[in-house]
Amino acid sequence: MIESFWNICLLHDISSRDQLLREAVRVTLTRKVLEQQGAANSTLQDPEMLFRIMKENVGERELGHFPGDRDLYYKLYQAGKDIDLLDYALQTLQQDRVTGGIIVHSGIMDRFIAMCGRNHYQSLLITETEKYIRGLVETQCYKQPFKITLLTESYIIAKLLKIYFEPYPNVSVIQGSIYHPLPLTEKFEAILTIPNFGMKMDDGDDVSIRDSEGVAVNHLIPLVQDSGRISVTFPARMMFQSGSIANWRKQINDTAPVSSIHVLPDGLFRPFTSVKTYQIELGKLPTEEVVLGRLQLQKMTLITEREITIRSDQFGLLDNWRIDMLLDEDQDTLRSFQQALVPKVKLRDIADIFRGKSILKQDLKAGNIWVLNISNLEDGEVNLEQLETIDEEERKVKRYEILPGDLVMTCRGTVHKLAVFPDSDGVVIASSNIIVLRFKSTILSSFAKIFLESPVGATLIQSFQRGTTVMNLNPADVAEIEVPLLSIEEQKERINRYTEEKERYRATVRDATARWEQVKNKLYSELY
């Protein structure tokens, strides 16, 4: 039924998300008018009369001019008169490849409704409702004893929701944006939101943060009751990025203390986004403990995989919300590093850090500039023999040049690789899949490599990863990693031990491989 309606629309150039929603709303309103008028069956079979009733009763001011004639409207009406409008909206939004908005997994709504039940919350605000339509369809929470307010920026989605929820007096629909102050007098016990990720908002009255996620929360906090909570989905960047976001995290925890943070399963929001995400609950009342957990997907339901608690005063002392490390069941090694008396220093204070140049496949051609990519890093070393080239002026790529002694690390892909760049002939630049660390005299590159590939270093790198199954590291995040600050003599001693043992290991493997080949070939020769 829905596909038939879509096909008729698409054949007549009615193809955008809003156009498809608008015509379904037009048909539904016409059907309601006919039901109210007690229209005879003959009316429904008469294209001329059906078209006239639509034109007279379904205002063009609300929905705009119908983009067709009576025959087209007759076809649309017959195909769409029995459509469930909410299910139609869900499927239309899911198929939208142009706007590409997130459709939130219904498990988020399930957990939100369960939280409201535990806390006896009655008044709920669901923001940017189009993102939660799947949750509305599958949980049917509007049939429970809640007073629900649905908020959306879109006029046509607001119209659709008002029509669908007209039989439910406990549901109201309003139009507005969470990225601007909402002129609402009502306060809510629970608010559910997933702000747009990674957008920079125009400067307004509040210039403490311009990131869309923070701006939205700032505008929603005044709307929550003193005993209420906001449940918000954040990307990894909001959990650990420094600067204005770090200051904002502290301010938020002071004004609306965090009560829980849960790591969401990898890929929960695919294909809309593949970044790592977290679900945070915060409210105005102080809490004694903060619940930290990791969720997993089991038969389409979000369940708790692991959960711990931390005192709220201890949580307040954290300079970031990277809870992944706290949830690691084997924390002994990491805790030993964090509590060790050895001085530590952040990479940003001892190294220049930059990402390489974005190079398209068609840019690779015979030229004078060599390009280092992920495939050129093997077993902790750089393979210079397989480098590809581009034809470019040296001055234009100078800022991406890798110098001997630089530490290079992958920032994309599925495997984390590190290597110290050796001497080379000619100019070599890093691709955008590589981050380059150029250390000052304080730390030796080889020592930093040893630490970052250790279990502690690997855990620290993992905690800053923004992606899920595909790695995505940002130079600004890598700069926040702490490394032990040993004397140059101590660093050299560890580097020498590492190098000697690695060479001994390689020699052993070479000898064993050669011996095995000899024995194997001898056995083969004895078979005939």
Side-chain angles (χ1 to χ4, degrees):
M1 186 185 300
I2 290 177
E3 287 191 7
S4 297
F5 190 87
W6 281 341
N7 289 335
I8 295 170
C9 287
L10 295 174
L11 285 172
H12 293 83
D13 294 323
I14 302 171
S15 57
S16 73
R17 182 196 76 173
D18 284 0
Q19 288 174 327
L20 292 170
L21 294 176
R22 182 187 64 196
E23 296 316 319
V25 166
R26 198 190 305 270
V27 165
T28 302
L29 286 174
T30 304
R31 191 199 71 215
K32 286 180 177 291
V33 169
L34 292 170
E35 289 173 351
Q36 290 167 1
Q37 294 180 353
N41 223 21
S42 58
T43 303
L44 305 182
Q45 304 304 319
D46 185 339
E48 181 66 42
M49 189 172 294
L50 191 65
F51 192 64
R52 180 176 58 78
I53 290 173
M54 180 273 290
K55 296 283 282 185
E56 291 176 354
N57 294 276
V58 181
E60 289 190 359
R61 187 174 179 180
E62 290 183 284
L63 296 177
H65 177 71
F66 177 70
D69 57 16
R70 63 183 183 181
D71 293 327
L72 172 59
Y73 189 72
Y74 179 77
K75 292 177 184 176
L76 283 176
Y77 185 84
Q78 299 302 326
K81 60 185 173 64
D82 295 321
I83 279 176
D84 180 287
L85 207 52
L86 197 63
D87 186 44
Y88 174 84
L90 170 61
Q91 295 197 42
T92 301
L93 292 171
Q94 286 182 154
Q95 295 298 320
D96 179 22
R97 292 292 179 262
V98 177
T99 307
I102 284 179
I103 303 294
V104 178
H105 191 279
S106 58
I108 300 290
M109 180 78 81
D110 274 327
R111 288 183 60 84
F112 177 69
I113 296 302
M115 182 272 289
C116 292
R118 289 193 306 271
N119 291 283
H120 308 291
Y121 293 154
Q122 293 294 307
S123 58
L124 283 52
L125 172 64
I126 299 174
T127 74
E128 298 184 314
T129 305
E130 56 271 27
K131 297 177 179 178
Y132 293 102
I133 281 187
R134 177 181 290 162
L136 289 174
V137 169
E138 295 186 8
T139 67
Q140 298 192 348
C141 56
Y142 48 87
K143 294 182 180 179
Q144 298 183 38
F146 295 120
K147 181 185 176 185
I148 302 175
T149 299
L150 305 177
L151 176 71
T152 178
E153 279 191 70
S154 167
Y155 170 80
I156 191 61
I157 289 176
K159 187 72 178 173
L160 182 149
L161 293 172
K162 285 177 182 177
I163 294 168
Y164 186 85
F165 289 108
E166 187 178 3
Y168 299 92
N170 62 316
V171 179
S172 59
V173 180
I174 57 176
Q175 199 177 346
S177 170
I178 61 176
Y179 309 105
H180 299 94
L182 289 160
L184 300 177
T185 55
E186 182 182 0
K187 292 192 174 184
F188 305 89
E189 291 175 300
I191 299 176
L192 180 63
T193 187
I194 175 170
N196 293 329
F197 293 168
M199 292 176 59
K200 289 293 183 183
M201 313 307 295
D202 294 334
D203 290 339
D205 296 333
D206 181 8
V207 294
S208 62
I209 189 167
R210 292 184 56 222
D211 298 80
S212 50
E213 302 93 334
V215 169
V217 170
N218 284 358
H219 290 147
L220 291 172
I221 285 176
L223 301 180
V224 69
Q225 295 182 15
D226 289 343
S227 60
R229 288 186 184 181
I230 297 176
S231 179
V232 54
T233 307
F234 276 161
R237 174 180 57 87
M238 295 298 294
M239 309 301 286
F240 54 68
Q241 192 162 310
S242 57
S244 62
I245 292 180
N247 295 333
W248 177 83
R249 282 195 301 267
K250 186 178 186 313
Q251 292 169 9
I252 282 296
N253 195 49
D254 289 341
T255 57
V258 172
S259 57
S260 71
I261 301 178
H262 286 84
V263 185
L264 294 173
D266 290 352
L268 189 67
F269 295 103
R270 285 199 186 101
F272 310 103
T273 179
S274 60
V275 300
K276 201 170 186 179
T277 51
Y278 299 75
Q279 196 70 23
I280 296 93
E281 290 180 6
L282 45 89
K284 293 182 179 177
L285 291 180
T287 58
E288 292 184 0
E289 292 182 329
V290 178
V291 178
L292 308 177
R294 184 183 291 113
L295 303 178
Q296 66 176 3
L297 205 55
Q298 191 174 93
K299 294 183 179 178
M300 300 306 292
T301 301
L302 287 174
I303 65 169
T304 303
E305 176 186 319
R306 174 166 166 75
E307 209 167 64
I308 63 173
T309 58
I310 180 174
R311 290 206 323 266
S312 57
D313 57 341
Q314 290 181 320
F315 181 81
L317 295 175
L318 300 176
D319 60 358
N320 58 64
W321 296 349
R322 291 184 294 136
I323 69 166
D324 307 67
M325 292 191 301
L326 298 173
L327 290 170
D328 192 336
E329 295 187 32
D330 184 14
Q331 280 286 300
D332 292 343
T333 305
L334 184 60
R335 192 178 296 111
S336 297
F337 170 69
Q338 292 172 329
Q339 296 176 353
L341 297 178
V342 61
K344 305 173 187 66
V345 62
K346 289 189 176 182
L347 290 176
R348 69 182 181 196
D349 297 325
I350 55 171
D352 296 323
I353 305 173
F354 62 91
R355 178 177 244 158
K357 178 178 172 58
S358 178
I359 297 173
L360 302 177
K361 194 169 185 179
Q362 55 264 34
D363 295 332
L364 297 171
K365 60 184 71 172
N368 59 323
I369 305 296
W370 302 89
V371 180
L372 180 72
N373 215 324
I374 296 174
S375 59
N376 306 124
L377 304 183
E378 299 175 1
D379 193 25
E381 294 182 358
V382 176
N383 182 355
L384 295 173
E385 296 179 1
Q386 303 297 323
L387 297 181
E388 294 183 285
T389 62
I390 59 172
D391 186 18
E392 187 59 270
E393 294 180 42
E394 186 176 329
R395 63 180 180 83
K396 291 184 178 180
V397 295
K398 195 69 176 175
R399 64 191 177 116
Y400 304 109
E401 183 180 8
I402 313 173
L403 301 179
D406 286 347
L407 179 62
V408 294
M409 62 186 295
T410 53
C411 57
R412 289 179 184 163
T414 56
V415 180
H416 185 65
K417 298 180 179 181
L418 290 153
V420 176
F421 195 73
D423 291 327
S424 65
D425 296 327
V427 176
V428 181
I429 65 169
S431 75
S432 59
N433 296 321
I434 302 291
I435 289 176
V436 180
L437 296 90
R438 186 164 298 153
F439 288 93
K440 302 168 187 176
S441 57
T442 316
I443 292 289
L444 301 174
S445 297
S446 295
F447 176 76
K449 173 182 175 292
I450 293 171
F451 173 75
L452 292 174
E453 67 185 13
S454 72
V456 169
T459 301
L460 290 171
I461 291 172
Q462 175 70 23
S463 71
F464 280 107
Q465 186 170 312
R466 297 188 183 198
T468 53
T469 52
V470 177
M471 179 173 54
N472 182 8
L473 289 171
N474 188 288
D477 300 334
V478 171
E480 296 298 312
I481 295 175
E482 287 187 322
V483 298
L485 184 58
L486 303 184
S487 68
I488 294 297
E489 289 72 22
E490 289 176 304
Q491 292 181 52
K492 287 181 177 178
E493 187 271 333
R494 284 159 176 74
I495 292 170
N496 291 336
R497 280 167 50 197
Y498 179 94
T499 305
E500 290 170 2
E501 288 302 320
K502 185 172 184 179
E503 183 50 43
R504 184 175 289 117
Y505 163 78
R506 284 178 169 174
T508 302
V509 170
R510 285 195 300 269
D511 292 344
T513 302
R515 187 165 55 253
W516 166 237
E517 287 296 325
Q518 290 175 357
V519 171
K520 186 172 60 173
N521 291 333
K522 184 178 180 181
L523 285 169
Y524 290 161
S525 65
E526 293 173 354
L527 295 176
Y528 47 84

